[in-house]
């Protein structure tokens, strides 16, 4: 494994962990009527490469699953990122 691929793998791992955690944090804050993480931030995290973690967090915490733009948007981001990855790596 090259240094670049190791760095990319680490980046994606950390970003997906972050996506998963911010979904959980936002759900907890919603229940407690506290300050929330913006939807822009949730989508931006997914767009930067954390779509798997964000999508997993959505369903693990049952958060934002009633919003059509999350139910459609997060899988769409994941599909687009997978397509880009296939295009560049294969």
């Amino acid at each position: 494994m090259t240094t670049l691929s190791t760095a990319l793998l680490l980046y994606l791992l950390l970003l997906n962990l972050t996506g998963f955690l911010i979904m959980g944090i936002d759900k907890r804050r919603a229940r407690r009527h506290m300050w929330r993480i913006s939807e822009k931030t949730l989508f931006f995290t997914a767009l930067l490469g954390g779509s798997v973690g964000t999508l997993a967090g959505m369903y693990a915490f049952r958060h934002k699953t009633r919003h059509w733009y999350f139910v459609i948007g997060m899988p769409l981001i994941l599909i687009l990122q997978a397509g880009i990855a296939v295009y560049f790596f294969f």
Side-chain angles (χ1 to χ4, degrees), residues 1-88:
M1 212 178 218
T2 66
T3 305
L4 182 60
S5 60
T6 303
L8 181 61
L9 188 62
L10 183 60
Y11 168 79
L12 290 173
L13 181 67
L14 289 174
L15 205 54
N16 281 289
L17 180 61
T18 300
F20 185 81
L21 290 175
I22 64 172
M23 277 295 193
I25 291 167
D26 193 48
K27 177 67 173 194
R28 185 175 187 180
R29 288 179 177 178
R31 286 183 178 162
R32 294 179 177 194
H33 305 288
M34 296 172 63
W35 173 84
R36 304 280 303 279
I37 297 170
S38 72
E39 291 180 348
K40 273 189 210 178
T41 301
L42 299 173
F43 271 108
F44 191 63
T45 303
L47 285 171
L48 288 177
S51 56
V52 172
T54 306
L55 190 60
M58 242 178 83
Y59 288 101
F61 300 111
R62 295 185 191 142
H63 189 50
K64 301 289 187 185
T65 55
R66 290 185 178 188
H67 299 277
W68 68 267
Y69 44 92
F70 275 89
V71 173
I72 302 287
M74 289 299 169
L76 186 61
I77 291 169
L78 176 59
I79 291 167
L80 290 173
Q81 289 173 341
I84 291 168
V86 166
Y87 177 78
F88 282 110

